[in-house]
Amino acid sequence: MPLQEPVIEDDVILARYPFLPQSSDYQRRLAGENDITLDVLLASERMEETRTRGRLRLVESISNKGGVDAMAMRDIHTEEGRLLESFSYSYARLVVCASEQEVLISRWAQAEAERAERLLCVDDVALPIIARTYLSQIEKVAAKTTTSPQSSTGSTGQAKPGGRGGLSDEVWQIGIADFIEICPRITGERWRLINHDVNDGKVILGDRRMGSQQQLARLLRERIKEQIMADALRRMTEVTDDLAVRLAEAVGMATTLIQQASSERLELSGVEQDDWPPCMRKAVRELEAGINVNHFGRLFLASISATIGLTEETCAGFFVNAPDYNPETTSYQIGHVFSRAYTPAGCAKLKLNACCAVQPGDDRLCDQPWLDHPMKYLRSQQRWRMRDAAAKADVEDSVDQSDASSSEGQTS
């Protein structure tokens, strides 16, 4: 992250992107000029529309249909529109902090970051200064007229339309340190360093499917979400009991919605949940808590779900609380795994990719030398359960026979 943020003097940018560190002073100035105190924000009639917009931001983040609506309820170029957008964000932040639920905070931060990404894809004015806020090395350069053999070139060496940089005369490039720090959080081959041109320690953004500006906006989304979450978690510790009581109704609304979303995610079939290996339970538990499970862990969860006979809908339900959840993308990727019948990874690869859930001594079955694959764990659990059921049935049969013998003796 840059050691010093650039100065932003445009009030529209500061209001449209209220999570920016530069927006704090702007919001304090707005509050002073309009006599907006905490009491006014929480209770006054003139701020009712702002509170409604703030609650709407939360509903949209929980429903997760692509993030918070990017359009303000009023024109952002008017003072009323800037007040609405700035303080509706502040109100939503108060509610999620008062909830003290990290899952809700994560979902809200993800939705706000997705909103920012959609805006930055088309906001040529704000993008450069916001990029310099979150990236230490960022610049726009002339697109190359010649490219590497991997790029789309003609026989003359001139870049074809639609190659890296597309039809644009300029492309964005960022420092390689920023790129390799952010990209592991994003799935897909497009985000691997090997698939980008690197020039003097800087990674050139953009490919034939995703323009340079769009790829930069996607990278910024990760930094924005990280900053929003860190700010909210810090503020969560400062929420007083009195403030929590005053926000109880809004918090109740938000927590009820997220509980409903969680309750709808699982309809288990096939293998009993108690039979699942610890690595599978770990992935499901972390996704349910809003933790960003890495690509290997997600692929493992989808492949083992298919192997044990869960439906695609059930498997998709595991992912609804994931920070970057998108219904269409999730369904497509799960369908791909199910149709290709991927084999679940073994224990060695799970450990190598930080997806193993146990340490030596945590689970006696996992400690067995022969157990080198999660499916062996599952089959072993099933055998033990079947033996227990058979033994229980034998005991019940013995009791029934004993009772029958006693009855016959009494009758005779």
Side-chain angles (χ1 to χ4, degrees):
M1 294 284 286
L3 297 177
Q4 185 175 1
E5 300 93 4
V7 176
I8 300 178
E9 297 180 349
D10 189 335
D11 289 352
V12 171
I13 294 177
L14 295 171
R16 181 171 281 149
Y17 306 95
F19 51 81
L20 290 170
Q22 299 95 321
S23 293
S24 298
D25 290 338
Y26 170 70
Q27 291 169 9
R28 279 191 288 270
R29 174 162 60 83
L30 270 184
E33 292 173 352
N34 294 275
D35 297 322
I36 300 175
T37 62
L38 181 61
D39 289 336
V40 170
L41 178 61
L42 295 182
S44 75
E45 185 176 346
R46 69 184 174 102
M47 299 298 288
E48 179 58 33
E49 186 181 8
T50 299
R51 293 191 293 272
T52 300
R53 169 68 174 158
R55 289 190 290 269
L56 181 60
R57 295 177 95 117
L58 290 175
V59 170
E60 290 168 346
S61 67
I62 295 169
S63 62
N64 214 345
K65 303 299 182 184
V68 174
D69 184 4
M71 303 302 295
M73 297 171 72
R74 289 194 184 181
D75 185 359
I76 196 72
H77 295 280
T78 66
E79 184 176 357
E80 293 79 8
R82 292 193 290 273
L83 277 169
L84 177 68
E85 205 62 7
S86 293
F87 287 100
S88 64
Y89 175 85
S90 298
Y91 180 78
R93 183 176 59 194
L94 282 171
V95 174
V96 297
C97 291
S99 75
E100 297 185 340
Q101 293 192 28
E102 291 193 20
V103 172
L104 179 55
I105 292 175
S106 177
R107 291 286 288 271
W108 169 71
Q110 175 70 22
E112 290 286 350
E114 287 180 0
R115 167 189 176 272
E117 178 192 359
R118 292 201 307 277
L119 288 169
L120 291 171
C121 283
V122 296
D123 194 341
D124 296 329
V125 175
L127 180 64
I129 198 163
I130 291 178
R132 292 199 300 274
T133 299
Y134 292 103
L135 299 170
S136 57
Q137 291 182 303
I138 176 72
E139 61 182 333
K140 201 171 190 180
V141 298
K144 288 183 179 181
T145 56
T146 57
T147 56
S148 66
Q150 292 179 338
S151 300
S152 230
T153 60
S155 59
T156 60
Q158 298 296 314
K160 288 183 178 179
R164 284 204 176 99
L167 296 172
S168 174
D169 293 328
E170 294 182 308
V171 293
W172 290 98
Q173 60 181 22
I174 70 170
I176 193 171
D178 285 313
F179 187 87
I180 63 175
E181 181 181 291
I182 297 172
C183 280
R185 310 173 201 170
I186 310 175
T187 59
E189 291 299 316
R190 173 184 297 140
W191 303 103
R192 304 287 76 83
L193 181 60
I194 195 172
N195 294 323
H196 288 77
D197 290 329
V198 179
N199 176 36
D200 194 24
K202 296 182 179 65
V203 180
I204 300 172
L205 302 180
D207 58 33
R208 65 184 62 186
R209 291 178 298 169
M210 193 175 199
S212 186
Q213 180 164 337
Q214 286 70 37
Q215 196 166 24
L216 175 59
R218 179 63 183 89
L219 293 170
L220 289 172
R221 173 176 130 187
E222 293 300 316
R223 282 274 167 91
I224 289 168
K225 180 193 174 184
E226 180 183 16
Q227 185 257 321
I228 291 175
M229 278 205 66
D231 179 57
L233 292 173
R234 177 182 60 80
R235 291 174 183 269
M236 185 174 69
T237 63
E238 301 171 358
V239 175
T240 63
D241 291 340
D242 177 66
L243 180 58
V245 170
R246 298 179 70 179
L247 291 168
E249 182 179 352
V251 169
M253 177 273 296
T255 54
T256 298
L257 284 175
I258 203 164
Q259 286 169 1
Q260 289 174 348
S262 297
S263 66
E264 293 171 358
R265 73 180 177 84
L266 277 183
E267 286 294 335
L268 297 179
S269 60
V271 178
E272 292 188 11
Q273 188 170 348
D274 289 341
D275 295 336
W276 292 358
C279 43
M280 183 178 179
R281 293 198 297 267
K282 174 179 182 288
V284 172
R285 185 172 60 249
E286 289 182 347
L287 287 167
E288 183 177 4
I291 297 172
N292 191 23
V293 174
N294 63 29
H295 174 71
F296 190 90
R298 296 183 185 208
L299 177 60
F300 164 73
L301 179 57
S303 59
I304 196 170
S305 296
T307 302
I308 67 178
L310 299 183
T311 66
E312 291 186 31
E313 291 75 16
T314 298
C315 182
F318 294 141
F319 294 89
V320 296
N321 279 346
D324 57 351
Y325 175 68
N326 180 284
E328 291 77 16
T329 303
T330 300
S331 297
Y332 171 79
Q333 292 176 340
I334 287 174
H336 179 77
V337 172
F338 272 63
S339 65
R340 296 294 182 89
Y342 279 67
T343 301
C347 295
K349 287 188 177 180
L350 288 167
K351 291 176 181 177
L352 183 64
N353 289 276
C355 295
C356 180
V358 298
Q359 297 291 330
D362 290 346
D363 189 302
R364 186 169 61 182
L365 185 53
C366 287
D367 288 338
Q368 300 302 313
W370 52 266
L371 202 147
D372 56 5
H373 197 283
M375 292 302 298
K376 290 185 178 180
Y377 185 102
L378 188 144
R379 294 189 184 102
S380 179
Q381 288 288 89
Q382 288 181 311
R383 284 196 295 269
W384 279 108
R385 183 162 52 81
M386 292 173 64
R387 289 172 185 170
D388 289 343
K392 183 178 180 181
D394 289 343
V395 171
E396 290 175 350
D397 288 344
S398 299
V399 172
D400 291 342
Q401 292 173 5
S402 176
D403 290 344
S405 300
S406 299
S407 297
E408 290 175 1
Q410 291 174 359
T411 300
S412 60

